[in-house]
Amino acid sequence: MVKKEVADFFDAYTDGFNAIYGTRNNLFNRVINKLFRKSIRVRYKKTIEGCTPLEGKTVLDVGCGPGHYCITLAQKGAKVVTGIDFAPRMIELAKKNAASAGVENKCNFITGDFMETGFEKSFDYSIVMGFMDYVRKPETVVRKVLGITDLKAFFSFPKDTGFLAFQRKLRYKRKCDLFLYNRDQLEGLFSKLRNIEYDIEKIHRDYFVTVLVKKPNSNF
């Protein structure tokens, strides 16, 4: 379960978060994106490229925000993309963005807490970007994600070292809980899971984890 202050924080941050993927190209945005948002753009690119083959596949985006992953994947051939986010304004914006892109018929957006939401069907691919930062019990979330994923899942985990980690801790201190990770923690988390192969890659201020599901998910 995600704390209410996290949902409130992202509800207020909706417009700013949407701009990260936008087309504004002024000097301020270029500098900020280069210094602080490189990971966001790299993990976006790697996730989209990793969802292959895509034609006719289904995708779940946990913590979908304004829907940019969902929209891109729908445009590239996904059959149905489901996005879930606990911030109502994010979901409202995601629906508007999907409609503007002409893919609203392929996108399904849910307002709710991922851990409290039941899913009737599994998904070919699952995306969990920028979500684990706010999760107190990561193994519970990872197991649920893998339990409803048939092919591959992609996760991002923020690194616990470096200047960017330090400034994030200060920036989030009075806003909401923030959880940072090191490689040993991630190795310990994923190595205990059965019937998967995983790869942990360091990208700027994050770890990008790709998980290949090898057998039916009932074994998790």
Side-chain angles (χ1 to χ4, degrees):
M1 181 175 180
V2 179
K3 286 188 175 182
K4 182 177 182 299
E5 55 261 34
V6 181
D8 291 342
F9 170 68
F10 276 96
D11 230 25
Y13 186 41
T14 299
D15 293 335
F17 192 81
N18 186 52
I20 294 174
Y21 298 89
T23 57
R24 299 174 188 174
N25 195 35
N26 56 49
L27 178 61
F28 176 78
N29 276 351
R30 289 198 300 270
V31 172
I32 291 299
N33 285 343
K34 181 177 181 179
L35 292 177
F36 300 107
R37 297 170 178 168
K38 181 179 179 180
S39 284
I40 294 177
R41 291 184 174 274
V42 171
R43 71 196 192 202
Y44 172 79
K45 182 175 184 291
K46 289 182 68 66
T47 300
I48 298 303
E49 292 176 349
C51 290
T52 54
L54 183 59
E55 190 69 32
K57 303 297 185 183
T58 59
V59 185
L60 173 67
D61 185 359
V62 180
C64 67
H68 296 292
Y69 285 80
C70 297
I71 291 167
T72 298
L73 291 169
Q75 291 173 327
K76 288 181 174 293
K79 179 180 179 181
V80 178
V81 183
T82 298
I84 181 169
D85 201 290
F86 43 65
R89 286 193 64 213
M90 287 288 193
I91 293 298
E92 290 177 9
L93 183 56
K95 291 178 178 178
K96 291 180 181 178
N97 287 340
S100 296
V103 293
E104 68 271 25
N105 62 320
K106 299 176 72 174
C107 295
N108 175 38
F109 294 107
I110 302 169
T111 304
D113 188 319
F114 170 70
M115 292 305 296
E116 297 182 350
T117 302
F119 298 90
E120 296 181 356
K121 298 180 179 180
S122 59
F123 302 86
D124 293 305
Y125 303 111
S126 291
I127 300 166
V128 191
M129 294 292 128
F131 183 83
M132 304 305 295
D133 312 39
Y134 314 101
V135 173
R136 186 173 296 277
K137 297 180 179 180
E139 184 175 340
T140 304
V141 174
V142 169
R143 285 186 178 275
K144 179 169 182 177
V145 170
L146 297 180
I148 54 175
T149 304
D150 293 333
L151 297 178
K152 285 188 284 187
F154 307 91
F155 300 83
S156 71
F157 294 85
K159 290 169 51 182
D160 67 352
T161 58
F163 171 73
L164 294 180
F166 175 73
Q167 66 86 21
R168 275 195 91 194
K169 291 176 183 178
L170 292 179
R171 185 158 52 93
Y172 280 68
K173 188 173 182 180
R174 296 186 178 182
K175 297 177 181 178
C176 63
D177 291 337
L178 178 68
F179 302 94
L180 307 180
Y181 301 83
N182 58 50
R183 181 178 288 273
D184 287 343
Q185 288 175 306
L186 298 182
E187 289 284 357
L189 171 60
F190 287 97
S191 64
K192 68 176 66 173
L193 302 177
R194 299 173 57 195
N195 302 320
I196 67 166
E197 292 181 359
Y198 67 91
D199 177 71
I200 302 173
E201 181 180 355
K202 184 168 63 176
I203 54 167
H204 199 45
R205 70 176 189 180
D206 287 334
Y207 291 103
F208 184 88
V209 183
T210 302
V211 181
L212 175 65
V213 179
K214 297 167 64 177
K215 292 184 179 180
N217 299 308
S218 58
N219 291 324
F220 284 97

